[in-house]
Amino acid sequence: MTSRKKDRDDYVIRVLDTPWNIAASTWNALLSRQARPSPFMRHEYLAALHDSRSAIARTGWLPRFITLWRGEEDDAELIAACPLYVKSHSYGEYVFDWAWANAYEQNGLEYYPKAVVAVPFTPVPGARLLAVDKKARQTLVHGLIQWCEAEKLSSLHLLFASDEDTAACEEAGLMLRHTVQFHWTSAKPDGTRFTSFDDFLTSLNQEKRKKIRQERRKVAEAGVTFRWARGADITDDDWDFFYRCYERTYLEHGNAPYLTRDFFKRMQTEMPESWLLFIAERKGVPIASSLIALGEQADGSLVAYGRYWGALERVDCLHFEACYYQPLAWCIEHGVVRFEGGAQGEHKMARALMPVKTTSAHWLAHAGFADAVERFLQREDAGIGEYMDHLQARSPFRQVDGS
């Protein structure tokens, strides 16, 4: 289905069922113009989620790609776009609104279906509203609200948005919500870059240095070694082994994995340059793996994203080595400016991943519930501010006196 709606200034909004209704080169060119792009918003990534049947209506993610065009139909220019999913649940989002859904239900109202602008199963901050300029982005937000009203959806949620997205949403009257993630940066507190993993350790206080060295020693003494591969150097066998680890992690927690094996096959063929794989081995036999995504920013710098991990054997501290120490050492060696550790996890601070605020934006159709949620968010935001201050006071880095 493609619906068309005349918007202000003769823009045309088209609602597309699948990413294949728009050329990959057109979508990716728009993404490349954003201040904070990520590989997860590439056309290939979104299409793989759809075509691998990982994010489809059957799994509770009904895709709708909202696009904004300018000009005559035969020669129209794409000036704004975003992935939108009509959701029948709140799984795979990482910005939790279960309490809101329960409140609706207790009052005899239906919270689902709702609309979510996000990358499914991917709590990575970045551009969500791809636009050529501020005006196009604002027009897209207003178009999203109008579409949700026309579809009689309970709400609209933009998750892990960029600063530009947040500003457009706030201008349109959406409510903002903050959560906390933990990110590592390659710059020391004095602004210089780390030159080696040992140099990185030197920047930490004595307690944290000692702890990291102890954890790494336990893994080494267990006879575990690591190898890494990037892009096309990741073999079919490596991908197969990774998926065994990934699948086991979910099954051990009583859930089926969100992403299918076919999804990662598509990543191997269509976005190989975006992936870095670490494999832990003991006596030449692979026992664990961690998969890291890589993305180039607007300024040409490289950012790494911790994504998935799993193990077939239990080794003390193996998770920390596979998911933090090996990737951080690689990032330092290869000039990566930032390593994002994913959703939640205060334990990441002990590895020098520092707290960062992330933002989502929300619109609720029901005026009474919107007022109640706004009051809740004001209280929650005050708590987030206090939490950030508390975390900053626990910095793992050395103090001025060297302690």
Side-chain angles (χ1 to χ4, degrees), residues 142-328:
H142 288 287
L144 286 169
I145 296 172
Q146 292 167 9
W147 185 81
C148 288
E149 289 175 330
E151 296 294 316
K152 300 188 183 329
L153 301 179
S154 73
S155 51
L156 169 68
H157 311 266
L158 287 87
L159 308 183
F160 301 103
S162 68
D163 291 343
E164 293 79 10
D165 297 341
T166 298
C169 290
E170 195 168 22
E171 181 274 339
L174 276 71
M175 300 173 286
L176 303 185
R177 187 180 191 185
H178 301 291
T179 54
V180 177
Q181 288 190 355
F182 296 87
H183 299 174
W184 174 91
T185 59
S186 61
K188 305 178 187 179
D190 65 6
T192 60
R193 292 281 187 90
F194 298 118
T195 58
S196 66
F197 195 84
D198 283 340
D199 184 34
F200 161 62
L201 287 182
T202 302
S203 72
L204 303 179
N205 63 46
Q206 183 179 13
E207 176 190 357
K208 298 300 185 291
R209 289 198 304 273
K210 181 179 179 181
K211 182 178 180 65
I212 290 174
R213 285 172 175 152
Q214 287 175 337
E215 290 173 344
R216 302 200 79 185
R217 189 179 306 118
K218 288 179 180 178
V219 176
E221 290 175 349
V224 177
T225 59
F226 277 82
R227 63 179 176 88
W228 62 266
R230 181 182 178 185
D233 293 332
I234 306 175
T235 67
D236 290 343
D237 287 344
D238 289 340
W239 279 107
D240 286 339
F241 175 73
F242 155 75
Y243 196 78
R244 285 177 61 199
C245 296
Y246 166 75
E247 184 177 44
R248 173 172 287 196
T249 297
Y250 274 87
L251 294 177
E252 286 179 347
H253 290 85
N255 300 306
Y258 286 136
L259 300 171
T260 66
R261 178 65 182 91
D262 184 51
F263 170 81
F264 290 105
K265 286 182 180 177
R266 295 172 186 275
M267 290 295 95
Q268 180 183 5
T269 58
E270 297 166 21
M271 289 178 56
E273 72 286 351
S274 297
W275 300 102
L276 170 67
L277 181 65
F278 292 90
I279 293 183
E281 298 179 334
R282 182 152 58 181
K283 298 180 180 180
V285 177
I287 64 170
S289 65
S290 66
L291 186 65
I292 310 298
L294 300 170
E296 187 173 303
Q297 299 298 280
D299 62 2
S301 61
L302 197 63
V303 174
Y305 308 89
R307 296 305 302 126
Y308 312 107
W309 120 282
L312 305 185
E313 295 184 17
R314 296 190 182 278
V315 175
D316 194 17
C317 299
L318 181 57
H319 172 261
F320 300 136
E321 183 70 27
C323 296
Y324 302 114
Y325 306 144
Q326 290 290 325
L328 290 182

Side-chain angles (χ1 to χ4, degrees), residues 12-164:
V12 174
I13 292 178
R14 298 175 185 162
V15 182
L16 312 176
D17 285 347
T18 75
W20 295 120
N21 293 118
I22 182 171
S25 58
T26 302
W27 181 281
N28 290 339
L30 187 58
L31 173 63
S32 69
R33 300 178 64 164
Q34 310 311 302
R36 194 167 179 178
S38 82
F40 313 106
M41 281 289 289
R42 288 184 61 85
H43 186 279
E44 296 88 342
Y45 190 91
L46 297 170
L49 287 171
H50 181 272
D51 293 340
S52 69
R53 306 189 69 76
S54 298
I56 57 174
R58 184 179 59 80
T59 61
W61 297 80
L62 177 66
R64 291 290 181 264
F65 292 82
I66 313 299
T67 60
L68 186 67
W69 302 79
R70 179 171 56 201
E72 297 299 324
E73 184 170 358
D74 293 339
D75 191 32
E77 175 193 7
L78 180 68
I79 61 171
C82 67
L84 179 145
Y85 296 87
V86 179
K87 292 291 301 296
S88 58
H89 54 67
S90 293
Y91 293 104
E93 298 175 15
Y94 302 94
V95 177
F96 304 112
D97 62 351
W98 297 105
W100 303 358
N102 290 337
Y104 266 63
E105 183 179 358
Q106 290 168 5
N107 285 272
L109 301 173
E110 293 184 353
Y111 189 67
Y112 305 108
K114 64 176 185 177
V116 175
V117 175
V119 181
F121 325 120
T122 310
V124 174
R128 294 291 178 267
L129 305 173
L130 311 184
V132 297
D133 54 30
K134 179 179 178 181
K135 183 177 181 181
R137 186 174 289 105
Q138 291 174 337
T139 302
L140 181 61
V141 174
H142 288 287
L144 286 169
I145 296 172
Q146 292 167 9
W147 185 81
C148 288
E149 289 175 330
E151 296 294 316
K152 300 188 183 329
L153 301 179
S154 73
S155 51
L156 169 68
H157 311 266
L158 287 87
L159 308 183
F160 301 103
S162 68
D163 291 343
E164 293 79 10

